[in-house]
Amino acid sequence: MSFDLRSALPGRIQAQRERPPSRAATWWRERASGVLKPGDREVLWLYLLTRLSLWVTAYCTRWLFPSQPDTHDAGPVLAPFEQWDWAHYLHIARDGYFPDPQPAAGQAGGDNREAFFPGFPMLLRAVHTIVPQWTVAGLLISFFAGAVAVLALARIARYYTAAEEVGPRTVLFFLLSPCAVFLAVGYTEALFLALALPAWLAALRHHWPLAAALTALATSVRISGLFLAAAVAFHFLLRPRSDAPWRALPWLALPALPAALYSWYLQAHTGDWMAWKHAQERGWYRTFDLPWDSWSVTWDAAFAHQQKTGYGLMFQAELLAMVVGIVLLGVLLWRRRWAEGAYIGLTLWSLGTSYWYLSVPRSTLLWWPLWIGLAAWSLRRPQIKTAYLCVVAPVSAIYMVTFLSGRWAG
């Protein structure tokens, strides 16, 4: 004898089970299906998997590389995410740029926090009002910002190549790159990309006010936003006049506003309009030097046995990243991608004219033409993907562990 479970349910429960979805649920489902394409879902799934891999690595790093060699305690679970620059962002968000009392910048005990732009610390302080734990607040910002960034990166890749499969491939190369660990910690890279990449996508689609507004927000996070503003301006000027009406031209000045306001704020407290630049010089030797002098100093730091082995390897990575950037710039100019070339060129000039190279590998995360170009190349030559995974993925794992364990800065 057959038995119908529904007939055994009480009438109210059965009616609830058979009730059609509400209008609100249907509306949200339609909006989600319209916003996220199948390729976007693949990108987000890849993003979540790599986040899980990184969190597992961070957990294991605490046990394998504790701060004290003979300890029986792995330390706080969030300790791997509290390395290096995080302390600066935390201090700014919690205490401001000029707490009282604070050692004067450049004196013993000063931390030169003026070198860091206020966008990320301001957002961190806002999120902290909801999430009491500072590190968790920073991780949440980077987590959601990173998701926005990879979606925008995939869509830019599809815009350039008109190939659906290039989006996930670009994101794969991007998320497995050596410095992708910075996307998952409380640093500025994820937030900057979550603003800069949609800004560039808006510029490609000729939505100039939106592109300018997002670029201005990106400039509040990193000085690199001004390089992006130059790329947007180049793209505007190189478009046919029917696609770039002159009435949109004033919007291109908007990205300079955050940098100007921050300089004015610093001048009001220190009397120095360029206090952020001078803080970088004091704390990280970012003085202006000729490009060949910067290369020479970095080369000696990498190969002349002047530094400890960990730092020597770091400077070797700086040189390699600079070479990659120069090659990328050459390819962009050869293919007449003037706007993208302006962005990469200004970035390389900024990084390549300091006392020595510093944070060039980290900067590769912001070079979206690099990841799109590699992905497009690998679609034409499948062995490129194999070579990338075999060579770069192990390097990425080593870099991730050294950063999370606090062995040396990147």
Side-chain angles (χ1 to χ4, degrees):
M1 181 178 67
S2 62
F3 178 77
D4 188 356
L5 178 62
R6 291 179 297 176
S7 64
L9 293 172
R12 180 175 297 179
I13 297 178
Q14 181 177 347
Q16 290 176 351
R17 294 289 179 87
E18 296 179 351
R19 183 181 301 169
S22 65
R23 288 186 178 181
T26 303
W27 186 88
W28 279 110
R29 189 178 296 111
E30 291 175 352
R31 298 288 81 74
S33 62
V35 172
L36 295 179
K37 307 299 181 183
D40 295 333
R41 298 187 185 97
E42 183 179 352
V43 164
L44 287 178
W45 178 242
L46 178 61
Y47 178 72
L48 290 175
L49 286 178
T50 55
R51 299 313 88 188
L52 177 62
S53 174
L54 190 141
W55 295 330
V56 170
T57 303
Y59 176 83
C60 296
T61 298
R62 292 170 48 241
W63 292 89
L64 294 175
F65 304 99
S67 57
Q68 301 296 329
D70 298 327
T71 186
H72 292 248
D73 184 4
V77 67
L78 295 176
F81 301 101
E82 298 171 342
Q83 307 287 350
W84 313 111
D85 288 353
W86 164 251
H88 295 287
Y89 300 125
L90 173 62
H91 294 160
I92 296 170
R94 187 182 60 196
D95 308 320
Y97 282 98
F98 304 102
D100 188 25
Q102 181 202 13
Q107 296 180 0
D111 59 6
N112 298 304
R113 63 183 68 182
E114 307 96 307
F116 299 89
F117 273 45
F120 180 81
M122 290 176 63
L123 181 58
L124 178 61
R125 187 176 184 88
V127 174
H128 173 67
T129 61
I130 303 173
V131 181
Q133 218 288 338
W134 285 102
T135 305
V136 174
L139 293 178
L140 286 175
I141 292 172
S142 292
F143 177 77
F144 289 106
V148 174
V150 295
L151 285 174
L153 179 62
R155 294 185 180 188
I156 293 173
R158 291 198 294 267
Y159 182 94
Y160 278 126
T161 63
E164 188 68 27
E165 62 272 22
V166 76
R169 181 69 61 85
T170 300
V171 172
L172 174 68
F173 285 4
F174 173 68
L175 292 177
L176 294 183
S177 62
C179 290
V181 63
F182 294 107
L183 298 171
V185 296
Y187 277 38
T188 58
E189 278 78 3
L191 181 59
F192 176 82
L193 289 172
L195 298 167
L197 293 178
W200 184 245
L201 188 60
L204 293 175
R205 295 172 176 173
H206 304 162
H207 300 324
W208 304 112
L210 178 60
L214 290 173
T215 303
L217 292 174
T219 303
S220 73
V221 177
R222 294 176 67 99
I223 191 63
S224 306
L226 292 180
F227 308 152
L228 176 64
V232 172
F234 263 93
H235 189 64
F236 176 88
L237 296 174
L238 294 174
R239 292 296 89 195
R241 294 282 66 77
S242 59
D243 294 336
W246 286 110
R247 65 175 177 273
L249 183 61
W251 283 100
L252 301 184
L254 183 62
L257 182 61
L261 290 176
Y262 183 49
S263 294
W264 173 79
Y265 169 79
L266 294 178
Q267 193 277 336
H269 286 80
T270 67
D272 182 4
W273 288 96
M274 298 296 290
W276 63 270
K277 180 66 169 63
H278 297 149
Q280 290 188 353
E281 293 174 355
R282 290 190 303 267
W284 295 270
Y285 301 100
R286 289 190 181 275
T287 56
F288 178 79
D289 285 82
L290 295 174
W292 42 88
D293 291 334
S294 300
W295 174 274
S296 177
V297 171
T298 309
W299 183 275
D300 290 341
F303 297 108
H305 307 291
Q306 298 176 349
Q307 305 287 335
K308 295 181 180 179
T309 56
Y311 283 96
L313 181 60
M314 182 192 75
F315 282 112
Q316 293 173 32
E318 300 283 347
L319 292 169
L320 178 60
M322 180 60 70
V323 171
V324 170
I326 294 173
V327 172
L328 173 63
L329 176 60
V331 171
L332 290 173
L333 296 180
W334 176 63
R335 296 180 66 87
R336 298 173 183 263
R337 306 297 306 192
W338 307 118
E340 294 88 340
Y343 174 75
I344 299 299
L346 288 171
T347 302
L348 293 177
W349 178 260
S350 173
L351 296 171
T353 55
S354 62
Y355 173 72
W356 53 23
Y357 298 163
L358 195 63
S359 299
V360 184
R362 280 178 62 182
S363 183
T364 61
L365 286 174
L366 315 182
W367 301 351
W368 73 87
L370 172 63
W371 310 113
I372 297 174
L374 282 175
W377 189 20
S378 72
L379 291 177
R380 296 192 302 269
R381 296 180 177 273
Q383 61 269 29
I384 297 299
K385 178 183 177 181
T386 304
Y388 185 91
L389 295 178
C390 291
V391 176
V392 176
V395 176
S396 301
I398 295 172
Y399 199 99
M400 184 189 309
V401 171
T402 54
F403 174 83
L404 294 173
S405 63
R407 298 306 182 194
W408 43 263

